[in-house]
Amino acid sequence: MKKIFYAFVFMILLIVPSFAQAQKTIHTGVIRGQVLDAEVKTPLISTNISIQNTLMGASSDADGNFEIKNVPVGTWSLRFSYIGYETVVKTDVIVKSNRITTVNAELAMSSVVLEGVVVTGGYFSETKDEPVSAVNFSSEEIRRAPGSAGDVSRILMSLPSIAKVNDQTNNLIVRGGSPTENAFYVDNIEIPNINHFPTQGASGGPIGLLNVDFIDDVRFYSGGFSSKYGDRLSSIMDITFRQGNRNEFDGQLDLNFTGFGGTVEGPLFNKKGSWLLSARKSYLDYLVDMIDIGTSVAPVYGDVQGKIVYDLNSNHKLMLLGIWGDDHNNPGRDTAIENDMIYYGKQDIYERTTGINWRALWNKNGYSNTSLSVTSQDFNENNFETNSGFFLSQNNSSEYSYNFRQVNHFRIKNRSSVEFGLDVKYLKNKYNNYFAEYTDALGNPVSSFRINQTDDSYKTGIFLDLSLSPIQRLNTTLGVRTDYFSMTEKTHVAPRFSFSYALSNRTSVTGAAGIYYQALPMVLLIQNEENKNLKDTQARHLILGSSHLLTENTRLTLEVYHKEYKNFPMDPAQPGLFLIDELYYQYGFFMQHEHLVDTGRGYSRGIELVLQKKLARDVYGLVSASWFRTKYQDLNNIWRNRVFDNQILLSMEGGYKPNNKWEFSARWIFAGGAPYTPFIISASKELARIVLDEDRINESRYPNYHSMNVRFDRRFHFNRTNIVTYFSVWNAYGRKNVASYFWNEKEKKQDTIYQWTMLPIFGIEYEF
């Protein structure tokens, strides 16, 4: 309690003098940045940069750098134009009092030149290198999104490709795929999981780990991604961290509902580099002790993140990255009963990523990114069943990965290029896990089981992409990837293809096809020596889409897709259940399986529609809708719904910025009820725990999901400081959405676990 009090007092003492400053002063800031060729990363000289709806602007110098001084505080859009290149418009450029705002842009060579027609666009040019199933978000779009709380994963929930499962987790269920099928990269370094309290063997968690103030750009691919990404079946999130300020020291303090933290940055080595550092700490445990916030579960977590950049010379740059987090939770049985938790126990989890990336510009036609990194996750967990208090499992695991990754890109001609590279991972894992005797989801007894094993193995992958434009309006990419995993001694060759064809200056048709492989999670492979003989899972992607610019800043996109899965692991002892979805009906982690087969099959197919308006003046928004089905074939050759099969998704999100002080935004999401398996009530009463009806797996559905999140932002600009305050309400009209059903042993009946009803979120950011 004292820590929270001191934090509030500290923030107030800093902020009060700022409010004493004159409010009528015209406050200004500076916009700086660099303009590069999007393909080969070389500077573009004499690029015209203009602030839309003003007479202010600049031109880039010999290094591609530019500066615009005395820009009034507020939100602006920057237009970048260069002869022979496609125009780019950067929206949501926030200029702050007495601060430097960095805006970098990458321009692509014009691939379509229609005589007598001016090609429009520029607001949606960020993903032209991978035109299929790709979307881009800036840091400001993530920060302000209602319902995201600065979590980069939660902003994606408004996309039609993301199924809606549970508010309490940010698991990405991409086009019917499970949470195990997603990969994350930060500055060319792969990170196993970007969340606090990560789910082992999967990619989700309840709370985002990455500091949104570090993020410069996010590119998300929900299918058809190129061969430079491997060992994943469904999606890729490629994140770029920004550089620190090279000209002055800046700082920021953040205080919100869940924690307190700060960010500092400044120049390095006589402005030949920069540094950026943040530290954050939660205080939910103190809030629980002080007031009733609707739960007595008090997880404790914190993180430290940093990035150092140093220019060896104008063509070679080194970037050092560090992301470290620690998570702790220890609810007792009484707490678990009070909060309808299926299980409880002690959790101590540590996540660490440290790496260095070298970006080299070899000439005006090529560059390479080379990274060395170490990632690790340490789990120390004990789990007990809430109803009985019985001990379930002990998880003492250490998963380390030593990584080398190189990506090379060279332009062959103006409209052709080649990209190639390799990935090498050395894996060093140690498991000391114990599973007590328990009753599985179907009511069958399972004997105790212990894993005490150390494994050293490696993965290698090489890839090649050739981009060609055989005719003026057509861009194509042919790719192939080869991967090898020493533990399973399996090698795969995965061809991929994508294209984009411009029907006009406003309309294009896109498509992709490819084969994708992924090794099974280590927590499954190490359970049995025979599991190493299982085939790696495979997915085949087929995607066809069309994009049409209604206006320069409004785009309509339509995509249809089909994903065909095979080689999924199945347990003959549970022939009707889909093992890879186990995280949702077995305590949130993979249980022990004595014998597995690799004959599991599945598919996911759907149609997605997105209407997006970028912030050109004072209004922005995104409306999306999708219809999809995702099914699997069990060992009895029966096709069943997967637990992520919402069937219908609808999302509407938008905001209004009347001036440079206020912003109002809202998001409404509707999702069809997800499938679940009914209980056998008599057996559940007898065994005092869930017993699923094996004859009706995933035949019932939860009630439809819908909720609205609203948010209000207020900015204050002073002579030397800035303040942002915000207030958000999740599930503003208090809809009681069902998360799951559980067996309430106290009342001897099936009971309901609800998602968040109404959750207020507040925050304040003080920049100095």
Side-chain angles (χ1 to χ4, degrees):
M1 181 175 178
K2 288 183 178 180
K3 291 185 178 180
I4 298 178
F5 176 76
Y6 291 151
F8 271 105
V9 171
F10 182 56
M11 291 286 285
I12 291 172
L13 289 176
L14 288 173
I15 292 171
V16 168
S18 297
F19 280 103
Q21 298 176 29
Q23 293 290 304
K24 295 183 179 181
T25 305
I26 298 177
H27 303 290
T28 63
V30 176
I31 299 177
R32 287 179 179 166
Q34 186 179 37
V35 188
L36 302 177
D37 184 299
E39 187 178 354
V40 294
K41 313 304 179 188
T42 54
L44 292 181
I45 306 170
S46 299
T47 302
N48 181 51
I49 302 102
S50 60
I51 301 178
Q52 295 200 146
N53 304 312
T54 74
L55 297 177
M56 293 180 290
S59 180
S60 60
D61 61 20
D63 295 319
N65 297 316
F66 70 93
E67 180 180 83
I68 308 175
K69 297 181 178 179
N70 300 317
V71 182
V73 297
T75 303
W76 303 97
S77 295
L78 262 63
R79 180 179 292 270
F80 298 81
S81 57
Y82 189 79
I83 296 177
Y85 285 74
E86 297 184 3
T87 297
V88 167
V89 178
K90 292 283 188 176
T91 63
D92 299 287
V93 177
I94 308 296
V95 176
K96 307 168 186 178
S97 177
N98 198 42
R99 300 268 290 199
I100 297 172
T101 300
T102 301
V103 182
N104 299 315
E106 296 184 358
L107 277 59
M109 278 191 171
S110 297
S111 57
V112 180
V113 181
L114 303 178
E115 186 176 353
V117 177
V118 177
V119 178
T120 60
Y123 287 83
F124 304 96
S125 60
E126 301 95 337
T127 55
K128 287 186 177 295
D129 57 335
E130 300 216 27
V132 180
S133 305
V135 66
N136 175 273
F137 292 101
S138 68
S139 60
E140 178 62 16
E141 288 174 314
I142 297 169
R143 188 202 67 82
R144 65 157 184 235
S148 70
D151 187 337
V152 65
S153 297
R154 290 187 184 273
I155 190 178
L156 301 178
M157 298 301 175
S158 60
L159 298 180
S161 55
I162 309 297
K164 188 65 182 177
V165 179
N166 195 325
D167 286 336
Q168 277 91 329
T169 177
N170 61 17
N171 276 317
L172 297 180
I173 313 299
V174 182
R175 290 181 172 174
S178 79
T180 65
E181 300 176 16
N182 313 307
F184 307 99
Y185 292 83
V186 177
D187 289 344
N188 200 46
I189 294 172
E190 185 175 359
I191 298 180
N193 197 309
I194 58 171
N195 298 289
H196 286 290
F197 299 99
T199 302
Q200 190 174 11
S203 59
I207 303 165
L209 170 65
L210 301 182
N211 186 343
V212 67
D213 292 316
F214 273 47
I215 295 175
D216 182 52
D217 180 80
V218 176
R219 298 188 181 193
F220 180 71
Y221 308 100
S222 57
F225 41 89
S226 76
S227 66
K228 70 179 178 181
Y229 304 110
D231 202 27
R232 284 300 182 270
L233 299 182
S234 284
S235 78
I236 301 295
M237 186 186 296
D238 202 336
I239 301 168
T240 301
F241 273 4
R242 68 179 179 89
Q243 298 184 33
N245 195 321
R246 292 193 175 209
N247 296 278
E248 62 184 20
F249 173 84
D250 284 333
Q252 177 176 311
L253 294 176
D254 301 298
L255 181 67
N256 56 46
F257 183 79
T258 58
F260 176 79
T263 301
V264 289
E265 59 187 289
L268 190 67
F269 302 127
N270 196 26
K271 299 184 180 181
K272 292 189 65 177
S274 66
W275 58 274
L276 181 63
L277 178 68
S278 81
R280 302 182 297 177
K281 184 72 169 64
S282 70
Y283 54 62
L284 279 176
D285 50 332
Y286 300 106
L287 284 178
V288 168
D289 292 338
M290 290 171 53
I291 58 177
D292 180 11
I293 62 173
T295 179
S296 56
V297 180
V300 178
Y301 58 91
D303 56 69
V304 176
Q305 299 166 48
K307 180 174 179 177
I308 296 175
V309 178
Y310 177 67
D311 295 340
L312 298 173
N313 53 47
S314 60
N315 293 327
H316 296 270
K317 178 182 298 183
L318 293 178
M319 292 170 280
L320 179 64
L321 177 71
I323 301 172
W324 306 280
D326 67 283
D327 314 313
H328 310 279
N329 195 18
N330 190 19
R333 188 182 178 197
D334 291 341
T335 298
I337 293 173
E338 177 186 348
N339 291 276
D340 295 333
M341 298 166 60
I342 298 174
Y343 73 99
Y344 67 95
K346 179 183 178 182
Q347 278 186 300
D348 294 307
I349 304 174
Y350 302 90
E351 307 165 73
R352 296 173 289 267
T353 295
T354 305
I356 188 168
N357 188 66
W358 166 37
R359 197 193 75 175
L361 300 179
W362 298 115
N363 52 49
K364 65 179 182 179
N365 291 319
Y367 76 94
S368 66
N369 273 330
T370 305
S371 64
L372 288 169
S373 64
V374 179
T375 65
S376 66
Q377 291 182 305
D378 291 304
F379 296 86
N380 184 2
E381 302 174 299
N382 294 314
N383 298 287
F384 298 83
E385 186 180 54
T386 302
N387 277 344
S388 63
F390 291 161
F391 175 73
L392 285 174
S393 67
Q394 170 188 288
N395 178 18
N396 291 320
S397 304
S398 296
E399 298 180 338
Y400 284 72
S401 179
Y402 302 85
N403 314 298
F404 173 82
R405 176 172 169 83
Q406 186 182 52
V407 179
N408 306 279
H409 190 106
F410 289 91
R411 178 184 291 151
I412 302 173
K413 295 181 180 179
N414 286 346
R415 296 168 61 192
S416 301
S417 63
V418 61
E419 189 168 61
F420 60 94
L422 73 157
D423 294 292
V424 179
K425 299 179 182 178
Y426 173 67
L427 309 176
K428 190 174 183 62
N429 304 310
K430 184 177 181 180
Y431 301 92
N432 182 11
N433 299 345
Y434 176 73
F435 299 88
E437 294 182 0
Y438 72 102
T439 302
D440 68 20
L442 301 179
N444 302 314
V446 178
S447 59
S448 62
F449 181 75
R450 178 174 291 279
I451 301 172
N452 192 350
Q453 183 175 334
T454 300
D455 174 76
D456 292 352
S457 57
Y458 64 90
K459 294 181 178 181
T460 60
I462 58 174
F463 59 88
L464 173 67
D465 282 320
L466 182 62
S467 297
L468 302 170
S469 296
I471 58 176
Q472 185 181 23
R473 300 188 183 192
L474 178 65
N475 293 322
T476 64
T477 300
L478 296 168
V480 64
R481 182 180 180 93
T482 300
D483 287 282
Y484 173 76
F485 186 17
S486 67
M487 174 181 275
T488 61
E489 298 182 344
K490 291 180 176 61
T491 302
H492 302 293
V493 178
R496 300 172 192 180
F497 168 75
S498 66
F499 76 91
S500 174
Y501 182 75
L503 297 175
S504 70
N505 63 314
R506 290 182 177 269
T507 307
S508 63
V509 176
T510 59
I515 299 177
Y516 299 81
Y517 291 94
Q518 182 174 339
L520 294 175
M522 291 295 297
V523 289
L524 282 179
L525 285 175
I526 53 90
Q527 290 186 8
N528 192 322
E529 190 67 24
E530 294 181 358
N531 288 354
K532 299 176 183 180
N533 297 323
L534 296 172
K535 295 178 181 178
D536 291 339
T537 52
Q538 182 195 105
R540 296 173 182 263
H541 294 199
L542 291 173
I543 304 167
L544 183 64
S546 179
S547 177
H548 177 70
L549 283 174
L550 300 174
T551 67
E552 187 180 20
N553 55 66
T554 306
R555 180 176 67 178
L556 180 66
T557 301
L558 177 70
E559 280 195 353
V560 294
Y561 68 89
H562 176 82
K563 288 168 65 177
E564 185 174 338
Y565 290 105
K566 67 178 185 179
N567 303 338
F568 272 106
M570 303 287 287
D571 188 345
Q574 302 174 340
L577 297 179
F578 199 50
L579 175 61
I580 213 68
D581 295 345
E582 186 173 272
L583 299 174
Y584 280 90
Y585 51 75
Q586 284 282 25
Y587 308 113
F589 50 86
F590 289 107
M591 297 298 286
Q592 181 265 332
H593 299 272
E594 291 185 5
H595 175 63
L596 299 176
V597 296
D598 54 20
T599 57
R601 297 173 56 200
Y603 72 80
S604 179
R605 60 174 68 114
I607 181 170
E608 301 174 354
L609 183 70
V610 178
L611 177 64
Q612 184 178 12
K613 184 186 186 307
K614 290 282 191 175
L615 180 62
R617 285 185 178 270
D618 51 12
V619 176
Y620 60 89
L622 185 150
V623 177
S624 69
S626 68
W627 175 90
F628 71 98
R629 297 305 308 271
T630 178
K631 291 178 174 286
Y632 70 94
Q633 186 180 41
D634 69 12
L635 294 183
N636 297 319
N637 296 321
I638 299 174
W639 284 94
R640 300 186 182 276
N641 300 319
R642 292 187 68 178
V643 294
F644 319 118
D645 185 42
N646 293 111
Q647 294 186 309
I648 298 175
L649 299 172
L650 177 63
S651 174
M652 291 182 285
E653 178 179 331
Y656 174 58
K657 302 188 75 167
N659 50 50
N660 63 8
K661 297 179 181 179
W662 288 97
E663 180 173 358
F664 309 94
S665 57
R667 175 199 287 178
W668 182 77
I669 293 179
F670 173 89
Y676 75 93
T677 303
F679 297 176
I680 301 177
I681 302 300
S682 58
S684 298
K685 285 183 178 180
E686 181 180 351
L687 295 174
R689 58 177 55 84
I690 295 173
V691 178
L692 303 182
D693 188 341
E694 190 173 6
D695 295 327
R696 295 192 294 160
I697 293 174
N698 291 344
E699 291 185 3
S700 297
R701 289 185 178 271
Y702 295 117
N704 294 334
Y705 171 98
H706 56 87
S707 71
M708 174 174 283
N709 302 322
V710 297
R711 176 168 170 146
F712 308 89
D713 287 62
R714 175 66 163 93
R715 291 181 180 272
F716 300 89
H717 302 283
F718 306 100
N719 289 336
R720 295 188 176 276
T721 59
N722 300 275
I723 297 172
V724 180
T725 61
Y726 59 87
F727 179 74
S728 178
V729 180
W730 292 12
N731 197 1
Y733 52 78
R735 164 76 173 179
K736 296 185 71 174
N737 291 300
V738 175
S740 64
Y741 298 124
F742 75 105
W743 185 256
N744 188 328
E745 175 58 16
K746 183 178 180 180
E747 300 184 14
K748 309 292 184 183
K749 68 173 186 177
Q750 175 180 305
D751 213 337
T752 305
I753 298 176
Y754 291 101
Q755 302 184 42
W756 287 320
T757 52
M758 182 183 293
L759 181 64
I761 304 289
F762 68 87
I764 184 168
E765 301 170 1
Y766 176 63
E767 301 168 342
F768 57 92

